[in-house]
Amino acid sequence: MTAVELEFNFDTAKSFVQEVMERSDQNLLACYQCRRCASGCPVGEETGYVTPDRLIRMLVLGDRESALNNDLVWKCVSCYTCGTRCPNEIQTARVTETLKKISKETHQKPLSPKVAHFHSTFVSSALRWGRLNEIEFINFYEIKNTLTDLKNFRFKAIFSEMIAQGQVGLNMLRRKRLHFGFQSAKGRKEIKRLYQRAKTKQRG
Ligand code: SF4
Ligand code: SF4
């Protein structure tokens, strides 16, 4: 494997890490690379060489490209295990969320379109109803996935997804875990208001 040489630019590195620190509210400069966070990550086997400590190193070194495009950012399930082990209380889950947002705002192609679709469908559904309605959610989510696959001529992937989701649906139905009705939560206006407030705060 050929090592990629990273040209360190102090100003660029500083502004990027500062942006991530402010938006995630995490003091990344406190990280002393003890790697306690690296053990116990449930998605560790799927993220290649990128562990929470390495993601933080990328940010501190200003490697924006790698920090936005790696499997940890897109596969982190926000379980907060790494954060509970960190002696400096750094919550990597807040960092991965921030990086996904930056990626979206700067119109970068998501490394995992499925994760991006999941997030956007979840947010619109929660804003509409104040909660998720499974049938609506899964349909919108799968429509977005199918359109992405169609654009990329991934017909086999569409077929595999249909089979996989069909099986999940049948299993849920057998266990009476699939709900067909539509329900809305009380205080939907409040949820929308909080969401708008968070967005405004983020922009400001
Ligand atoms: S546990 Fe905390 S201090 Fe240690 S490497 Fe991970 S983020 Fe850095
Ligand atoms: S919060 Fe994300 S990075 Fe941290 S242990 Fe959980 S999945 Fe891994």
Side-chain angles (χ1 to χ4, degrees):
M1 196 170 87
T2 332
V4 180
E5 231 174 79
L6 174 68
E7 198 179 310
F8 183 71
N9 179 313
F10 180 76
D11 292 330
T12 320
K14 194 176 160 209
S15 69
F16 185 47
V17 77
Q18 251 168 6
E19 179 186 353
V20 177
M21 285 201 299
E22 276 166 25
R23 293 183 60 168
S24 64
D25 199 23
Q26 303 301 306
N27 181 10
L28 304 184
L29 300 181
C31 172
Y32 43 56
Q33 293 289 297
C34 67
R35 305 205 72 216
R36 277 201 206 177
C37 54
S39 59
C41 174
V43 294
E45 283 182 12
E46 295 179 34
T47 60
Y49 69 94
V50 186
T51 44
D53 56 299
R54 287 183 176 150
L55 177 63
I56 291 167
R57 201 70 186 141
M58 283 173 192
L59 290 162
V60 173
L61 291 174
D63 188 357
R64 187 187 174 99
E65 185 60 31
S66 307
L68 290 172
N69 294 297
N70 64 76
D71 281 325
L72 183 63
V73 165
W74 292 94
K75 290 186 178 167
C76 169
V77 290
S78 299
C79 68
Y80 286 75
T81 303
C82 52
T84 58
R85 293 181 179 183
C86 174
N88 294 313
E89 297 178 358
I90 297 171
Q91 300 292 353
T92 308
R94 302 281 299 272
V95 176
T96 54
E97 286 306 312
T98 302
L99 291 168
K100 277 198 279 288
K101 279 187 212 150
I102 294 178
S103 177
K104 188 180 173 202
E105 287 162 9
T106 52
H107 307 291
Q108 302 215 15
K109 214 171 163 186
L111 190 65
S112 169
K114 273 187 162 187
V115 174
H117 293 330
F118 188 92
H119 279 263
S120 64
T121 315
F122 183 98
V123 171
S124 19
S125 190
L127 285 176
R128 209 166 20 251
W129 304 103
R131 51 157 292 158
L132 288 194
N133 284 297
E134 288 147 11
I135 295 293
E136 181 211 46
F137 173 77
I138 199 71
N139 276 306
F140 279 128
Y141 169 64
E142 285 305 340
I143 287 170
K144 286 179 186 178
N145 285 336
T146 307
L147 289 175
T148 303
D149 285 336
L150 275 175
K151 256 190 236 163
N152 295 304
F153 304 103
R154 298 180 68 231
F155 304 113
K156 210 171 152 192
I158 297 173
F159 185 66
S160 310
E161 183 75 8
M162 277 166 67
I163 302 276
Q165 291 297 355
Q167 276 167 350
V168 173
L170 276 177
N171 285 337
M172 285 176 75
L173 206 56
R174 273 193 213 113
R175 289 172 175 80
K176 298 193 171 69
R177 304 299 300 167
L178 200 57
H179 305 111
F180 289 96
F182 273 82
Q183 288 180 351
S184 57
K186 281 184 190 161
R188 272 183 290 161
K189 279 189 186 157
E190 184 66 3
I191 293 172
K192 274 189 191 164
R193 195 184 62 77
L194 286 170
Y195 177 76
Q196 288 307 338
R197 199 167 139 192
K199 280 203 101 163
T200 316
K201 195 176 165 199
Q202 218 171 65
R203 280 190 221 112

